[in-house]
Amino acid sequence: VLANKKVEGSNNGNGVQASKQEGLTKDVESMLGNWSNFTFAPIRESQVSRAMTRRYFADLDAYAESDIVIIGAGSCGLSAAYTLGKLRPDLRIAIVEAGVSPGGGAWLGGQLFSAMVMRKPADAFLDEVGVPYEDEGHFVVVKHAALFTSTVLSKVLQMPNIKLFNATAVEDLITRRDAGTGDVRIAGVVTNWTLVSMHHDDQSCMDPNTINAPMIISTTGHDGPFGAFSVKRLVSMKQLEQLGGMRGLDMQTAEDAIVKNTREIVPGLVVGGMELSEVDGANRMGPTFGAMALSGVKAAEEVLKVFDL
Ligand code: AHZ
């Protein structure tokens, strides 16, 4: 049986030492060489439908009242979710991601290259989540951006207090006006299936759904077809006078600015990651991701201030 053949440490020709094969679990191992007797357990189609829909609608029901909503599951949103989920397993956290595949721009390092660069001290976050890297002095390199994104994503998805609603767009923000001060507070998000959101121009009214939450983190990236969603909406609802607009690339200064300025922009709404560059007129940093991870950590800290950290 294949699994019983232990591969001793060998050199693959690239100077990389192959580790000893650990072997498969007994149950998987027992399948090898035994396919003629193989059969799946029986099922009826409706059982599959109910297994999916019951859980999804139970989640919609439970998360209609959340403690925190994170808009966007890019590198910043996922880092915020990881930090919150780990620090506060008692809070209910919904992530709303417009794309089918979460991760935003963090599946590749830059210009479709694989490696992801993070400047120190963001290596601390890689140590925290358990992503290996090569140390290059002032910065570290993860061998594939997808390794970072998939590792953080898998940890976030395993947290029992976090639900990812992907293929779901935030179409608007829920607002409340304080009776005394007249100030507006963000009190939740307005959602729709992304495919529905994309057809508001050619179909008659398709009303959305809502999630109430006392604190929102918006990390929808810089301006683009979907990006900078919340801050553009804040301008159109006259809660921000105007956007500064993301400036040209300056790696040296951009990352410090994003992390330092991650903050509550309007009561109830913390903005992090590249969406923030549109508010402040901050530079972009291009393909170096340390600020995204640490802006996520800081965004988590900012929202936790209202939950008695
Ligand atoms: O799909 C979007 C993406 O996954 C999602 N999103 C945007 N609008 C949304 C909406 N509802 C729900 N209305 C929405 N989801 O938000 C995610 C943003 O991810 P991102 O990777 O674009 O942003 P980030 O700030 O986490 O990371 C930015 C990475 C960049 S851009 C950049 C440069 O241009 O110089 N450099 C870096 C490191």
Side-chain angles (χ1 to χ4, degrees):
V1 174
L2 201 69
N4 286 337
K5 289 186 182 164
K6 292 270 185 235
V7 178
E8 295 300 328
S10 65
N11 200 298
N12 67 5
N14 293 326
V16 177
Q17 191 78 8
S19 58
K20 282 188 179 179
Q21 189 175 318
E22 281 179 9
L24 301 167
T25 60
K26 280 208 166 39
D27 285 348
V28 175
E29 192 183 318
S30 69
M31 292 177 188
L32 298 175
N34 208 12
W35 299 109
S36 54
N37 298 324
F38 175 83
T39 179
F40 278 109
I43 199 153
R44 187 170 171 76
E45 288 76 2
S46 59
Q47 290 179 286
V48 178
S49 302
R50 285 175 174 154
M52 295 185 294
T53 55
R54 188 187 304 133
R55 284 169 177 78
Y56 200 90
F57 286 101
D59 284 337
L60 277 181
D61 183 293
Y63 285 82
E65 279 290 351
S66 293
D67 294 304
I68 299 162
V69 174
I70 299 172
I71 313 174
S75 44
C76 183
L78 287 176
S79 302
Y82 173 90
T83 309
L84 286 168
K86 197 147 178 213
L87 286 177
R88 292 296 298 266
D90 55 314
L91 297 180
R92 187 176 292 164
I93 301 158
I95 309 174
V96 184
E97 165 53 51
V100 171
S101 45
W107 290 110
L108 291 162
Q111 200 180 322
L112 312 186
F113 302 139
S114 310
M116 174 186 263
V117 171
M118 285 208 190
R119 290 163 65 201
K120 292 181 179 178
D123 55 323
F125 189 74
L126 297 176
D127 292 337
E128 165 64 38
V129 291
V131 173
Y133 52 80
E134 286 178 66
D135 196 323
E136 297 255 8
H138 287 306
F139 64 93
V140 300
V141 185
V142 179
K143 75 172 183 179
H144 204 300
L147 176 59
F148 169 77
T149 300
S150 60
T151 303
V152 180
L153 187 56
S154 72
K155 303 218 162 172
V156 163
L157 289 175
Q158 286 178 58
M159 293 177 178
N161 57 325
I162 297 187
K163 169 70 185 182
L164 168 68
F165 294 99
N166 48 335
T168 307
V170 170
E171 287 193 344
D172 207 344
L173 303 170
I174 299 177
T175 60
R176 298 270 186 272
R177 197 170 282 282
D178 185 280
T181 62
D183 291 346
V184 162
R185 183 176 180 89
I186 307 304
V189 296
V190 178
T191 63
N192 221 325
W193 306 118
T194 302
L195 287 175
V196 171
S197 285
M198 292 163 74
H199 284 278
H200 284 307
D201 290 340
D202 57 55
Q203 300 290 320
S204 60
C205 184
M206 298 181 286
D207 271 331
N209 192 22
T210 56
I211 301 176
N212 282 119
M215 289 304 292
I216 314 293
I217 299 177
S218 190
T219 62
T220 68
H222 60 68
D223 203 0
F226 269 114
F229 171 80
S230 300
V231 298
K232 286 193 283 189
R233 184 68 182 110
L234 290 179
V235 173
S236 63
M237 62 169 72
K238 309 230 181 302
Q239 291 308 304
L240 272 182
E241 204 172 310
Q242 61 177 37
L243 295 180
M246 183 180 71
R247 303 293 161 83
L249 192 152
D250 181 352
M251 277 189 193
Q252 192 61 33
T253 60
E255 292 203 284
D256 290 8
I258 293 293
V259 175
K260 280 184 186 154
N261 293 331
T262 296
R263 66 192 185 283
E264 195 174 18
I265 298 279
V266 163
L269 185 88
V270 170
V271 178
M274 282 309 284
E275 184 166 6
L276 200 57
S277 70
E278 300 288 356
V279 180
D280 295 333
N283 294 98
R284 68 193 298 191
M285 71 292 296
T288 163
F289 283 81
M292 298 302 114
L294 297 188
S295 171
V297 173
K298 189 171 177 214
E301 185 182 1
E302 291 295 307
V303 295
L304 287 181
K305 285 178 183 164
V306 308
F307 294 102
D308 304 318
L309 183 66

